[in-house]
Amino acid sequence: MTFGRLADLQPHLPASSDLLDVHAAAQYVSDTCLSDTPVGRVGLEVEAHCYSLNEPTRRPSWEEITDTIATIPTLSGGSTITVEPGGAVELSGLPMVGAAAAIASMRTDRALVQSMFARRGLGLVLLGGDPLRRPKRVNPGFRYSAMEEFFTNSGSGVAGELMMTSTASIQVNLEAGPRARWPERVRLAHALGPTMVAISANSPMLAGRFRGYCSSRQWVWSELDDARCGPFPELLGQDPTCDWARYALWAPVMLVQCNNNQGAMPVIGRVPFAEWADGRVLLGGRPPTTADLRYHLTTLFPPVRPRSWLEIRYLDSMPDDMWPAVVFTVATLLDDPHAASIAAEATEPVATAWDRAARVGLADRRLYEAANTCVRTAACRAPAELQQSMQRLTWLVEQGRSPANDFSDQAVAYGIATAITKMAREEG
């Protein structure tokens, strides 16, 4: 999902082949990470695990998934379809004016894609983690095989494999907003994180067992390198563009693109991009270019990622009766000034409680209180077409429950495979 071509937003960018030193790299990142724009447009990305309806323990092959995608006509909402490393199917929507429009468009596209997959005996299930199958990569892309090798060599192979093949999210993309509001807006986007993790938690199981977390997806991300996947940083300064530049340049380089553009080479050992840019290390036998820096930025996965707009990346994938309300809540709390003020005060006590939110969710008293305040604030601003979803979300939060509780109940009552099949046939 993009909010416009980067070249249009930043016409002064250097050519991608320009060699960089560390100062030019920092300037590039600082200049391009946020765009001075009004708030209002919203884009969505929705990931769903793909299962065989008749054999839910089997992971559908790359050919099965891509052959099915080839039968789907152009989606009326403009969403594009891509496949994650483990076979999860992602819909990336066009930006729309307002959350309600983005939600309506994604609902329409998802319903059609779900029905087309069902015709091929496949189901798309909205869960934050795959509760049934062991991790396995099916996407043969060069980038993903190189990422696999990188994680193995860096000592985080298990978490890396789970992240790539067994987790799924719903991503909310929002405009960066006016420059004068960037510090408070980026700070609030982070501060909302633990509360929204607790609300959206929907991955109590991974690979056939309970992991002791409401959001095992968030736990998996926390097991990866904090310099690549953690907030940037926990305590933000007054200029988020400088914070992001500092984070990006000290994050270790994961992959270096081959000169023939036919793949990527994993970096063995820990090499911050700054050390490559200042000449202390040569990767691929050469200094970095602007193209290398752009590629490096795509390998950073913090919970909030600036890409000219803001990517909100900390939500678990959730059922169709819930994700519209959660998306509307996030967009409202960030884009509506009065709602943002309420949310900032409500979430301040739990602004860094990422692990607590992933582990116990709304069972934590402070997260429960923040969640209820945030959801009530959004609910009173929801349009008629979202009332049913907002009522469902409000009730769950008041009960101190998340989708993880519902799935756990179904898994215990019916067994994991039956619960998955039931969800696959009902969603969409």
Side-chain angles (χ1 to χ4, degrees), residues 44 77 99-110 323-324 385-386:
L44 300 178
I103 291 165
S105 178
M106 182 57 70
R107 275 174 155 171
T108 300
D109 287 353
R110 177 167 151 72
W323 70 256
E385 62 268 27
L386 292 177

Side-chain angles (χ1 to χ4, degrees), residues 168-184:
S169 70
I170 291 178
Q171 183 172 299
V172 183
N173 300 309
L174 302 173
E175 298 284 14
R179 182 181 299 271
R181 289 187 54 204
W182 287 352
E184 64 184 83

